[in-house]
Amino acid sequence: MLVWLASLLGLILTGFGATAYQLHRNNEMRRIDHQLEQRVAALSLDVRSRGTPGPPPSPGGPEHWDFGPHPPPPDGHPPEMNHPPPEPKTFRLSSQTRLLFNEADCYFVAWSRDGALITRSSNAPPDIVRPQQVVDDPRMQTRTRGTCREVFHFTELGDCVLSGVSMSAELKRLQHFVAWLVFASAAILGLGIGGTWILAGRVLRPVQRIGAAAGRISAGHLSERIDLAETDSELGQLASVLNATFARLESAFAQQKQFTADAAHELRTPVAIILSEAQTTLARERTVQEYRMAVESCLNAAQQMRRIIQSLLALARFDAGQVELERAPFDLAEIAKACIEILQPLADEQNIRIVSDLASAPVTGDADRFSQVVVNILTNAITYNRDGGEIHVSTREEEHAAVLAISDTGTGISPADLPHVFERFYRADRSHEQTSSHVGLGLAICKAIVDAHVGRIDISSSLGSGTTVTVQLPT
């Protein structure tokens, strides 16, 4: 871009300089021609009235000429002083014409119709020749010989009058003008290129900082951010977007690491149980009942591992966008009623009463996937409820949304734990960690399913007052 701008600016300056030079030269030529035309006009008047007698001009004067042949003196000797030659007719310039030819580098020549020299100034070039007459062209004409500019005119009698001037001084001034144009153009071109270079450097400097920060981030420094002071410019807005993206990437990598560590931790416990039971059983002979108990312990641990693996696979598929949801109409009230019937025995074991208020709330989506959401939420409400507590399940239809709300009278969630309840392997109640089969993936799966339905899931809770989970799906 810099080369292109420099080339374009150079072409513009070259065109401007050539135009300025041509205009200045034409003005100089017109000025010289105008002065020469004035001299030729005055000299033409004098030539028309030539031949008037008068005293001879002073010796060496510019108008030293005479007419007519002079008879040679007898014997080749000069005439006697007492016998002066007849006075010749002289050609004299008028006083006004002499004023026009005061300049030292200005000269004139006049020829008669038959080509004879009428007069010439003493400074006229010796190699000057009479111009060729153009038939029926009474206009003044110009010509250039070397460094001389000449204007000539043919009178109505056929006489030719010419006036010229040396243009050496004007040519030097033109050369100085060309040098000044070249210097000015070079200075403007240099300033333009330098200014463009500086401006491009200032514009590209934030881009270089962005590239350097991105390179450091790609090298593993995920906490690196782009530092730009101008946040209102386009690059500042781009840097803000990139910083937000890098922050999400850092969070995603951190979650991935934590997810891997938590998955290994959760799978380690059932694997340790299976290995321990198997080693203990094989260490010595056991009774049939003892073998049965050992196998049951391994089976329970294997089932827990299967649940974890299935949950992890489900979340991985949601993350990869490989889950294809069925799109069919269903009613949230019917799904909630069916899930309550499935989990009613578990609630009865915990002495928990389920109260339902199910109004019709039709939506379109995957009924089986959404049933998994309701089962997970109800299971948590039963597991973390107090003895003899209650669970309230309601469905309703609001403007452009179907709403499912499940409230319990359990211990609640602390404000510190509430922002993390949808994180994978996160458990707010650590007292159930060793005794419960829950591994902290249920709400994460619920959020993934609801997000896939373009819905929203929210949790509100306070310690000692219970928890309310609200799910909204677009109708």
Side-chain angles (χ1 to χ4, degrees):
M1 184 180 293
L2 186 62
V3 172
W4 162 251
L5 291 177
S7 302
L8 184 62
L9 183 59
L11 290 175
I12 293 174
L13 290 174
T14 302
F16 173 78
T19 304
Y21 169 78
Q22 193 64 32
L23 290 175
H24 184 66
R25 183 181 182 279
N26 292 341
N27 288 334
E28 287 292 318
M29 292 297 103
R30 281 196 294 268
R31 180 183 64 81
I32 295 173
D33 292 345
H34 179 68
Q35 294 176 353
L36 292 176
E37 288 172 359
Q38 289 181 331
R39 296 185 180 113
V40 168
L43 187 60
S44 296
L45 293 177
D46 291 348
V47 168
R48 290 187 183 97
S49 59
R50 69 181 181 275
T52 57
S58 60
E63 61 276 5
H64 186 220
W65 54 78
D66 53 22
F67 290 88
H70 300 282
D75 304 328
H77 297 286
E80 296 293 333
M81 296 301 296
N82 55 356
H83 298 287
E87 183 178 293
K89 289 183 177 181
T90 61
F91 184 85
R92 299 183 60 190
L93 294 178
S94 65
S95 59
Q96 183 179 1
T97 304
R98 284 197 298 270
L99 289 176
L100 293 175
F101 286 97
N102 275 337
E103 298 180 9
D105 57 350
C106 182
Y107 58 90
F108 62 89
V109 182
W111 293 273
S112 64
R113 182 172 185 177
D114 56 2
L117 181 66
I118 298 176
T119 181
R120 64 180 294 158
S121 61
S122 60
N123 61 344
D127 58 345
I128 192 169
V129 294
R130 183 178 183 272
Q132 295 294 328
Q133 183 177 5
V134 179
V135 180
D136 298 333
D137 190 357
R139 296 175 300 175
M140 293 188 184
Q141 301 177 50
T142 60
R143 70 179 184 182
T144 302
R145 294 187 315 107
T147 60
C148 296
R149 183 74 169 177
E150 297 174 347
V151 173
F152 57 90
H153 171 63
F154 290 92
T155 66
E156 62 275 5
L157 299 178
D159 299 330
C160 180
V161 179
L162 180 146
S163 177
V165 65
S166 175
M167 296 189 300
S168 299
E170 283 77 7
L171 292 177
K172 287 184 178 180
R173 285 197 295 269
L174 284 176
Q175 290 177 354
H176 293 161
F177 182 70
V178 170
W180 181 86
L181 283 177
V182 172
F183 174 77
S185 300
I188 293 174
L189 184 61
L191 289 175
I193 295 176
T196 305
W197 179 269
I198 295 173
L199 182 61
R202 292 187 60 184
V203 171
L204 294 177
R205 195 175 299 118
V207 178
Q208 295 173 351
R209 289 203 295 265
I210 292 174
R216 291 191 295 269
I217 291 172
S218 63
H221 302 282
L222 299 179
S223 60
E224 186 76 24
R225 294 294 181 270
I226 301 170
D227 184 16
L228 284 181
E230 298 179 1
T231 57
D232 294 335
S233 64
E234 291 81 358
L235 287 176
Q237 296 173 3
L238 174 61
S240 299
V241 173
L242 290 176
N243 283 335
T245 303
F246 295 150
R248 287 195 297 270
L249 286 175
E250 182 183 13
S251 177
F253 276 107
Q255 289 179 359
Q256 187 70 24
K257 292 180 180 179
Q258 186 65 35
F259 176 77
T260 303
D262 291 341
H265 174 73
E266 295 296 337
L267 290 173
R268 183 178 59 183
T269 301
V271 170
I273 293 174
I274 293 174
L275 289 175
S276 176
E277 290 292 337
Q279 291 173 355
T280 303
T281 303
L282 294 175
R284 61 181 177 82
E285 291 292 332
R286 303 272 180 177
T287 63
V288 175
Q289 185 64 28
E290 288 175 340
Y291 279 122
R292 184 179 182 85
M293 292 176 60
V295 172
E296 287 179 353
S297 297
C298 292
L299 179 61
N300 292 333
Q303 288 177 346
Q304 185 178 3
M305 289 177 59
R306 184 183 65 178
R307 286 193 297 269
I308 294 174
I309 293 172
Q310 288 177 345
S311 299
L312 292 177
L313 287 175
L315 289 172
R317 287 169 181 166
F318 275 110
D319 291 340
Q322 297 177 353
V323 178
E324 295 183 0
L325 299 178
E326 294 184 1
R327 297 294 177 180
F330 66 91
D331 197 329
L332 284 185
E334 296 178 359
I335 297 296
K337 182 179 179 181
C339 293
I340 291 173
E341 293 176 356
I342 294 173
L343 295 176
Q344 187 63 54
L346 179 62
D348 293 340
E349 290 179 4
Q350 301 291 334
N351 194 23
I352 295 173
R353 187 166 67 98
I354 299 178
V355 180
S356 61
D357 180 15
L358 305 177
S360 177
V363 294
T364 299
D366 194 326
D368 292 336
R369 293 286 184 181
F370 195 77
S371 297
Q372 187 178 357
V373 173
V374 179
V375 168
N376 284 341
I377 297 174
L378 280 175
T379 302
N380 286 339
I382 294 172
T383 303
Y384 299 102
N385 211 327
R386 60 182 174 82
D387 187 27
E390 290 185 354
I391 298 175
H392 295 270
V393 181
S394 64
T395 58
R396 63 184 183 274
E397 185 178 4
E398 294 181 349
E399 185 178 1
H400 305 299
V403 180
L404 167 70
I406 300 177
S407 303
D408 62 57
T409 57
T411 57
I413 304 173
S414 67
D417 292 327
L418 196 59
H420 306 284
V421 293
F422 291 112
E423 296 179 4
R424 299 168 185 182
F425 295 111
Y426 187 85
R427 284 186 291 248
D429 189 358
R430 296 292 176 179
S431 62
H432 290 76
E433 185 171 354
Q434 301 299 329
T435 60
S436 175
S437 62
H438 297 270
V439 294
L441 295 175
L443 287 179
I445 294 175
C446 291
K447 181 171 176 54
I449 295 174
V450 173
D451 289 343
H453 283 82
V454 199
R456 178 178 177 181
I457 180 169
D458 297 308
I459 295 182
S460 60
S461 179
S462 59
L463 288 176
S465 300
T467 302
T468 300
V469 180
T470 305
V471 179
Q472 294 183 356
L473 295 181
T475 56

